Amino acid sequence: MAPIRLLELLILLAVLAGFAGLLLRRNLFLKVLSMDVMGSAVVALFVLLAARSGLRSPILPRSGELLAGDYADPIPQAVILTAIVIGLSIQALLLVVITQMARIDPSLNAASFEPTDQP
């Protein structure tokens, strides 16, 4: 098995582990942690896909001529940087909300925050 395929498999397992944690855990903090695992695995997948064409930085040398070699694609790298910033912002917001919700129910069980049908 090629090393790239093994890395893809490990990343897929990390995405599935995060998704399973998101579905199976009732604690809100663990759900946020699962979302972070899943988001980090997706970032790793994009980094792996961007490095398929090469690992060299696409910067021209001083002489201005292109050197022969395999260059990494800079577009997925820019997208990943944006995804990391957005993921960090969402995680920070969720942790602030969960901290406020912990005042209502310190166990942070998702079932305790579901609306009731009582008038």
Side-chain angles (χ1 to χ4, degrees):
M1 180 177 266
I4 292 277
R5 293 290 179 199
L6 182 62
L7 286 174
E8 287 175 348
L9 179 66
L10 290 174
I11 291 171
L12 178 64
L13 288 175
V15 169
L16 292 176
F19 188 66
L22 193 61
L23 292 177
L24 300 176
R25 298 293 177 193
R26 299 297 293 166
N27 188 309
L28 294 176
F29 179 74
L30 292 178
K31 285 184 180 281
V32 171
L33 190 63
S34 297
M35 281 180 51
D36 187 45
V37 167
M38 199 168 45
S40 297
V42 170
V43 166
L45 178 66
F46 273 99
V47 169
L48 183 67
L49 291 177
R52 274 196 174 170
S53 61
L55 296 175
R56 294 187 57 197
S57 179
I59 298 174
L60 295 176
R62 289 187 184 183
S63 63
E65 62 187 50
L66 282 174
L67 297 175
D70 296 329
Y71 291 99
D73 189 7
I75 301 300
Q77 294 173 6
V79 171
I80 289 307
L81 184 60
T82 305
I84 290 171
V85 170
I86 291 171
L88 182 66
S89 302
I90 290 172
Q91 185 180 13
L93 179 66
L94 286 174
L95 289 175
V96 168
V97 170
I98 287 174
T99 303
Q100 296 298 319
M101 293 173 80
R103 293 180 181 170
I104 299 169
D105 182 15
S107 71
L108 291 175
N109 189 359
S112 65
F113 297 107
E114 292 177 1
T116 59
D117 292 333
Q118 297 176 5

